[in-house]
Amino acid sequence: MQNPTQAPLLELRKVTFSYEQRAKPVFEQLDFSFPGNRMGLIGDNGSGKTTLLHLLVGLLKPTTGMVYFQGNPIQSDTDLVQLRRSVGMVFQQADDQLFCPTVLEDVAFGPLNLGQTSRQAKATALEVLQLLRMENYIERITHTLSGGEKRMIALATVLAMNPKVLLLDEPTNDLDRTAKNRLLTTLQALEIPMIIISHDWDLLSKLADGYVALENGKLTFSEQMEIHNHKHAHPMGSHTHEHQHC
Amino acid sequence: MQYSGYTLTSGNSQSKLLNSPLMERVDARLKIVTAGLLSLVLASSQSLSCLLAGLILAVVYCILGRLNTWWVLKRLLSLNLFILFLWLTLPLAKTPSPPVITLGWVSLYKEGLFLAMIITMKSNGIMLFLMSLIGTLSIPELCRGLQQLRVPSRFVQLLGATYRYIAVIKEEYQRLYQAALLRGFVPGTNLHTYRTYGYLIAMTLLRSKIRAERVHKAMLMRGFTGIYPMLSPDSPAPPGATPLSLLLFSSTFLLLTLLSFFW
């Protein structure tokens, strides 16, 4: 998968990290590189998936070790700002991500920070909302949106910055089937590398082309999904669904 | 409990009663400054004629701003409930002059009655001016106006964030409270009740703090560097509206100031 002539998009080298209040480090001497595919990141609750994403974009600072973006080490605050502008992160709770009073203001926040004028930022916001077919929501007050709508707008706020990478932290959490399918279709159509944290195998099988499992602070890569026997309920009546076996 | 931000919007941008150019499509800065000045004049004036004129003009402003009558009355009611206590206590204060009325043990004095009346007129006038001038601004407009008036960015951000998150925090508190109710909590006058409320409030504060950290992270991820960028308004005020409003506002201010000093 990894192209040797090209530096990985995001990389951790020998990163050790621990939260202060906990004695045991979450990661010790961890190496991770993200080549730029659609990578599913799986692991149990509390295994450090979100921590890993936050380390990649400098929201958390490694105790030792370095973060690299497109082969360049992230050292100064300027590097950090540059990195964060290029990486779009969709947070677990959309309410945390949508902090402006109206949808328009929220989607325009990123473009304004990138230096666009008010007029350009509005145009960008409208364009992205149209892409996601959410243009009718432009005047809406953010906190009155439903969970699914909030998730779509959260995605819009990130896409408005034209990111090189998307980091999705449990994007389908709490979504009903309709909202989930809508998000899935939208994400499938995007040609942006992404790392997807999810417990939702259905989503991962349709979206990801490689997997990383996180267990006890160690990463295990597998590029294809393994054959597995499984049982699950189909509460909405019988319907066929594909499993991508290799 | 009332959240002014929440209701401001439902009265303003959702059920729009707009298109009074004098009040609606005026620069937010002008409205904020006018509201400040008029409040200052009314608050400091002792002149009855000035207060009366202020009250009348404030009603006129509300009409010009096409405010919903019920919306206005509801707010005035909650203000005047508070003022009712002044009417119940101030006239009882003993002064050298003879009491106006004596009912058995209770004597009412002129100074106290006068004071209560003045306070009522002042606060109602100021409230009406604020509703017509500030209440007709949306929160984003108000924030932008304050920022343009060089109000420190932190305060403006605080206002915007409060507006955005107060409903979220309220929901969170209610979830906790319902969880307590579902486990058989019955509020009473005892230590257990106080402790439970203490836990609920503390937990809400703690969660809000943790949420604030997450929001800050989300802001950093979208290029936030300490300066909160704002969109400029879609439709600037049409030419003519601003000078006309400026004339209205400044003549109101002059009239009230003159009345306050000379009558």
Side-chain angles (χ1 to χ4, degrees):
Chain A
M1 177 66 68
Q2 193 171 334
N3 185 347
T5 59
Q6 204 183 344
L9 213 43
L10 285 166
E11 201 179 356
L12 295 180
R13 285 190 204 164
K14 303 228 174 305
V15 163
T16 301
F17 176 80
S18 61
Y19 287 103
E20 277 168 47
Q21 59 264 44
R22 289 190 217 163
K24 193 174 169 287
V26 185
F27 301 120
E28 258 176 302
Q29 300 285 313
L30 182 80
D31 288 310
F32 171 74
S33 82
F34 174 59
N37 55 341
R38 285 181 182 171
M39 181 186 277
L41 179 56
I42 53 182
D44 291 340
N45 291 335
S47 60
K49 305 185 293 293
T50 303
T51 308
L52 183 69
L53 287 200
H54 286 199
L55 281 168
L56 283 173
V57 292
L59 287 176
L60 292 171
K61 209 173 160 2
T63 319
T64 58
M66 280 301 267
V67 181
Y68 290 77
F69 175 56
Q70 293 181 320
N72 302 312
I74 302 298
Q75 282 160 324
S76 64
D77 283 351
T78 333
D79 293 340
L80 258 186
V81 171
Q82 213 47 50
L83 163 70
R84 288 173 183 162
R85 285 177 171 188
S86 318
V87 179
M89 182 178 283
V90 177
F91 285 71
Q92 232 175 84
Q93 275 138 316
D95 249 325
D96 299 340
Q97 183 137 23
L98 305 175
F99 43 79
C100 300
T102 66
V103 168
L104 172 65
E105 307 242 326
D106 228 314
V107 183
F109 180 85
L112 284 173
N113 280 330
L114 294 181
Q116 293 191 7
T117 64
S118 202
R119 184 186 297 267
Q120 287 168 334
K122 268 182 214 173
T124 310
L126 187 64
E127 198 180 309
V128 173
L129 288 169
Q130 273 166 348
L131 177 78
L132 301 184
R133 302 218 191 109
M134 298 294 284
E135 66 269 26
N136 294 334
Y137 289 78
I138 200 155
E139 294 288 339
R140 289 283 295 274
I141 307 289
T142 319
H143 69 73
T144 61
L145 301 177
S146 76
E149 291 163 349
K150 276 184 189 159
R151 198 62 57 116
M152 291 301 282
I153 300 298
L155 183 62
T157 64
V158 163
L159 291 180
M161 299 183 72
N162 200 11
K164 294 192 175 112
V165 192
L166 276 183
L167 305 183
L168 307 165
D169 197 343
E170 308 217 9
T172 54
N173 218 5
D174 306 331
L175 294 191
D176 63 29
R177 274 180 355 128
T178 324
K180 188 185 125 177
N181 286 336
R182 181 168 188 186
L183 183 69
L184 177 63
T185 319
T186 311
L187 289 176
Q188 278 171 330
L190 294 174
E191 286 171 0
I192 307 173
M194 47 183 96
I195 302 180
I196 311 124
I197 292 184
S198 190
H199 294 296
D200 183 345
W201 279 103
D202 185 46
L203 172 89
L204 287 178
S205 66
K206 286 172 182 157
L207 197 56
D209 54 21
Y211 297 90
V212 183
L214 188 54
E215 201 178 358
N216 300 323
K218 299 271 182 293
L219 289 168
T220 326
F221 287 79
S222 69
E223 285 193 6
Q224 288 155 324
M225 224 169 156
E226 285 159 27
I227 299 171
H228 64 288
N229 291 318
H230 73 291
K231 281 180 186 167
H232 59 197
H234 287 166
M236 311 303 281
S238 61
H239 66 278
T240 54
H241 63 284
E242 280 175 41
H243 289 165
Q244 289 179 338
H245 298 300
C246 38
Chain B
M1 218 182 285
Q2 284 180 342
Y3 300 103
S4 57
Y6 198 87
T7 29
L8 269 183
T9 329
S10 53
N12 186 24
S13 67
Q14 254 141 43
S15 62
K16 282 203 176 201
L17 307 152
L18 302 182
N19 297 328
S20 169
L22 277 175
M23 283 294 166
E24 273 308 329
R25 296 164 76 184
V26 178
D27 194 311
R29 285 171 293 180
L30 184 59
K31 284 182 166 184
I32 296 167
V33 170
T34 308
L37 286 175
L38 293 180
S39 305
L40 201 67
V41 176
L42 285 188
S44 58
S45 170
Q46 295 295 325
S47 139
L48 264 184
S49 56
C50 165
L51 294 179
L52 192 64
L55 207 52
I56 294 168
L57 281 167
V59 172
V60 172
Y61 271 45
C62 285
I63 295 168
L64 283 176
R66 305 204 184 158
L67 295 185
N68 183 312
T69 316
W70 282 115
W71 187 78
V72 172
L73 287 179
K74 232 167 71 184
R75 263 147 199 76
L76 283 185
L77 183 70
S78 46
L79 170 73
N80 287 303
L81 276 178
F82 185 68
I83 286 173
L84 186 67
F85 286 97
L86 295 179
W87 282 95
L88 291 177
T89 51
L90 278 179
L92 298 174
K94 206 167 162 62
T95 53
S97 59
V100 184
I101 316 164
T102 307
L103 305 159
W105 288 92
V106 184
S107 305
L108 303 180
Y109 294 88
K110 200 180 89 182
E111 283 81 357
L113 284 169
F114 184 70
L115 203 57
M117 186 177 69
I118 284 207
I119 293 174
T120 310
M121 291 172 80
K122 280 179 187 215
S123 42
N124 279 289
I126 291 173
M127 188 72 172
L128 285 168
F129 274 131
L130 286 180
M131 279 193 278
S132 61
L133 292 165
I134 307 289
T136 48
L137 291 171
S138 69
I139 294 289
E141 282 172 329
L142 180 61
C143 287
R144 195 183 311 116
L146 288 171
Q147 197 165 54
Q148 286 167 334
L149 287 170
R150 302 291 165 90
V151 171
S153 179
R154 278 164 199 250
F155 291 112
V156 182
Q157 282 169 41
L158 204 56
L159 176 70
T162 305
Y163 171 69
R164 170 65 183 86
Y165 283 105
I166 200 148
V168 175
I169 293 170
K170 184 187 162 200
E171 267 168 35
E172 205 150 60
Y173 177 79
Q174 279 173 342
R175 264 203 305 277
L176 291 171
Y177 188 68
Q178 277 161 1
L181 289 182
L182 282 174
R183 283 192 281 150
F185 172 64
V186 182
T189 319
N190 51 40
L191 195 59
H192 173 65
T193 303
Y194 302 142
R195 189 184 290 127
T196 307
Y197 275 118
Y199 287 160
L200 287 177
I201 293 166
M203 193 53 91
T204 310
L205 280 176
L206 189 65
R207 289 190 179 193
S208 304
K209 183 189 173 276
I210 295 169
R211 181 183 296 280
E213 283 165 1
R214 293 198 303 258
V215 171
H216 185 238
K217 282 182 178 176
M219 292 175 78
L220 287 177
M221 283 309 294
R222 284 202 275 144
F224 180 69
T225 48
I227 301 148
Y228 201 98
M230 294 215 182
L231 292 169
S232 52
D234 262 333
S235 49
T242 304
L244 213 58
S245 311
L246 194 60
L247 189 69
L248 175 73
F249 295 163
S250 54
S251 49
T252 310
F253 175 66
L254 273 179
L255 177 72
L256 293 183
T257 315
L258 286 174
L259 283 174
S260 142
F261 279 109
F262 297 108
W263 276 279

